Amino acid sequence: MPETLPYFQVDLAQEGPIALDAHFSCEPGEVLALVGPSGSGKSTILKTIAGLYRPKSGRVAIGGQEWLNTSTRRNLPAQQRSVGVVFQDYALFPHLTALSNVIEAMQHIAAGDRRARAVALLERVHLGGLEERRPEELSGGQQQRVAVARALARDPAVLLLDEPFSAVDQVTKEKLYEELAFLHQELTLPIILVTHSLQEASLLADKMCILHRGKTLQLATPDEVMTRPATVEVARLVALKNVFSGEVAGHRNNEATLVRWGTLMLEAGFNPRFQAGEKAYWTIPDSHVVMHRTEKAFRATTENLIEGVVVTSLVLGGTTHLKLRPLSSEKDILSLSVPTHFARLNNARAGAEISISLQRDAVHLMPYG
């Protein structure tokens, strides 16, 4: 049976001037978030897809058509690529109305059909009635909606969003998140979202491509990246707080992998790739660190029971963020978050001794080297 190729595939490589070793794919109806710190190559990759940058080596293909293939010297110019782009600053024409900005992207449509189509697109992004306003008469969120309508006006094969939420306030961001989520349900094309915000990627994306210095470190669902990072580098890039090193002690009944952490023996989810005696990093999301009630730390039923002293207790509304120093280790600090009322009920203040458990299947191992 022939192998099914990805609908949209990007493979880029070069040593400089901007290092690239990026590889990812995206299917119709999927949102793929390119995530990484400044300088990780996100914008360069977007420019390459749009035909505004040519890497030394690479291939960009969609629906069986190659837009770029450096090995065959194929490189379609930007105007021949079916791409819709929403730029970070929206790049609207200031002298044109919202309607005219959208119509400008419709050169491929018969002139007599453009106005009605542009009106329909503006209504689709909830801007009906604002067609004759110029960008300066629109809020930041409204300008972004015009930019999205203009991008869709090209009938693109792929939609590129370059940090589209960076110029609006938090309240507007949340409304736009919701609108993009609804739009995502309607569109049957790949959407590439460039962002440095893990929150945005987790909320909006079906897959995340974690980039660092132009290199793809992991391509997976947001949940997998945040709970099962491929490497310790990924864990740190996505700001996981609980990252430690230990030594694999062996396996138990194909159910758990045992990890020696200081004087403690922890159980992790079974992972036969790691051998006894091998060093490994391990991590656990703070959401899977369970704090016990002071009177109910049942040792017989808890997984990876740890006792420690609260170092800091930070209340942020309904959630209290705790940092705990295990009694078994003076150098390590565990982080966890609990409802504020639960923290108060169980006296989880700085200096207090509490007990916690690490859920076994959430303890994830990563290679040491």
Side-chain angles (χ1 to χ4, degrees):
M1 188 173 180
E3 181 184 358
T4 301
L5 296 175
Y7 180 76
F8 181 52
Q9 180 75 42
V10 176
D11 295 286
L12 309 175
Q14 66 180 23
E15 293 184 1
I18 300 169
L20 290 174
D21 186 11
H23 310 273
F24 59 85
S25 62
C26 190
E27 297 300 321
E30 281 187 341
V31 175
L32 169 69
L34 302 182
V35 183
S38 297
S40 59
K42 303 185 298 294
S43 293
T44 301
I45 292 170
L46 229 58
K47 289 177 182 176
T48 301
I49 294 170
L52 304 174
Y53 180 83
R54 185 186 185 281
K56 292 179 180 176
S57 176
R59 180 175 180 269
V60 176
I62 186 164
Q65 181 189 18
E66 287 186 333
W67 288 352
L68 171 71
N69 188 337
T70 55
S71 65
T72 61
R73 298 184 179 180
R74 181 175 177 80
N75 185 23
L76 282 184
Q79 61 269 27
Q80 292 182 27
R81 300 189 186 195
S82 182
V83 176
V85 185
V86 177
F87 296 98
Q88 186 173 350
D89 59 0
Y90 312 140
L92 299 176
F93 295 113
H95 62 289
L96 296 181
T97 64
L99 186 67
S100 296
N101 264 282
V102 177
I103 289 174
E104 278 294 308
M106 294 184 173
Q107 303 307 309
H108 62 296
I109 294 176
D113 297 332
R114 293 174 189 172
R115 181 180 178 85
R117 176 78 186 282
V119 168
L121 282 170
L122 288 171
E123 288 179 350
R124 189 176 189 180
V125 296
H126 309 292
L127 287 178
L130 302 181
E131 294 88 352
E132 298 307 318
R133 292 193 184 181
R134 288 182 169 80
E136 65 180 12
E137 300 172 305
L138 298 170
S139 68
Q142 289 169 338
Q143 289 180 39
Q144 194 220 54
R145 293 186 186 102
V146 175
V148 170
R150 184 183 60 182
L152 295 176
R154 296 196 65 194
D155 294 319
V158 60
L159 181 61
L160 308 180
L161 308 177
D162 188 7
E163 304 227 29
F165 309 107
S166 61
V168 295
D169 60 82
Q170 186 61 38
V171 173
T172 303
K173 272 185 188 180
E174 292 177 4
K175 291 179 181 177
L176 293 173
Y177 291 161
E178 186 174 332
E179 290 187 13
L180 181 58
F182 281 122
L183 197 62
H184 170 207
Q185 294 173 4
E186 297 177 7
L187 298 176
T188 55
L189 73 163
I191 301 174
I192 309 300
L193 168 67
V194 164
T195 180
H196 64 272
S197 169
L198 291 167
Q199 179 193 27
E200 286 179 7
S202 297
L203 283 172
L204 300 172
D206 300 294
K207 293 191 297 189
M208 292 168 60
C209 177
I210 304 299
L211 294 161
H212 186 54
R213 295 176 181 172
K215 182 178 182 179
T216 296
L217 299 184
Q218 187 169 4
L219 177 66
T221 65
D223 179 68
E224 185 173 355
V225 169
M226 299 301 293
T227 62
R228 297 181 295 282
T231 64
V232 68
E233 188 175 20
V234 172
R236 288 169 176 158
L237 283 171
V238 299
L240 291 180
K241 298 174 183 176
N242 295 320
V243 180
F244 307 99
S245 60
E247 182 180 298
V248 177
H251 307 286
R252 182 172 57 77
N253 300 330
N254 292 337
E255 295 178 354
T257 295
L258 306 179
V259 182
R260 187 174 289 107
W261 183 45
T263 60
L264 295 177
M265 186 69 72
L266 303 179
E267 290 189 353
F270 179 61
N271 195 329
R273 293 190 299 115
F274 292 87
Q275 303 301 314
E278 183 179 353
K279 283 188 174 182
Y281 287 107
W282 65 272
T283 185
I284 184 170
D286 60 359
S287 57
H288 288 71
V289 180
V290 180
M291 176 181 163
H292 297 286
R293 294 182 182 274
T294 51
E295 74 280 7
K296 292 185 178 180
F298 298 121
R299 294 177 185 270
T301 59
T302 53
E303 297 176 330
N304 296 322
L305 181 67
I306 297 174
E307 295 179 342
V309 177
V310 176
V311 178
T312 61
S313 176
L314 177 63
V315 178
L316 293 175
T319 302
T320 295
H321 301 278
L322 302 174
K323 291 189 181 297
L324 180 79
R325 178 178 291 112
L327 297 180
S328 59
S329 174
E330 289 295 317
K331 64 177 183 177
D332 292 313
I333 299 292
L334 271 161
S335 297
L336 64 150
S337 300
V338 297
T340 294
H341 74 275
F342 184 81
R344 288 174 177 164
L345 182 65
N346 291 279
N347 200 29
R349 68 188 191 287
E353 289 193 11
I354 64 172
S355 62
I356 62 171
S357 284
L358 309 182
Q359 295 180 3
R360 182 185 71 188
D361 290 340
V363 177
H364 171 71
L365 301 182
M366 299 166 289
Y368 192 81

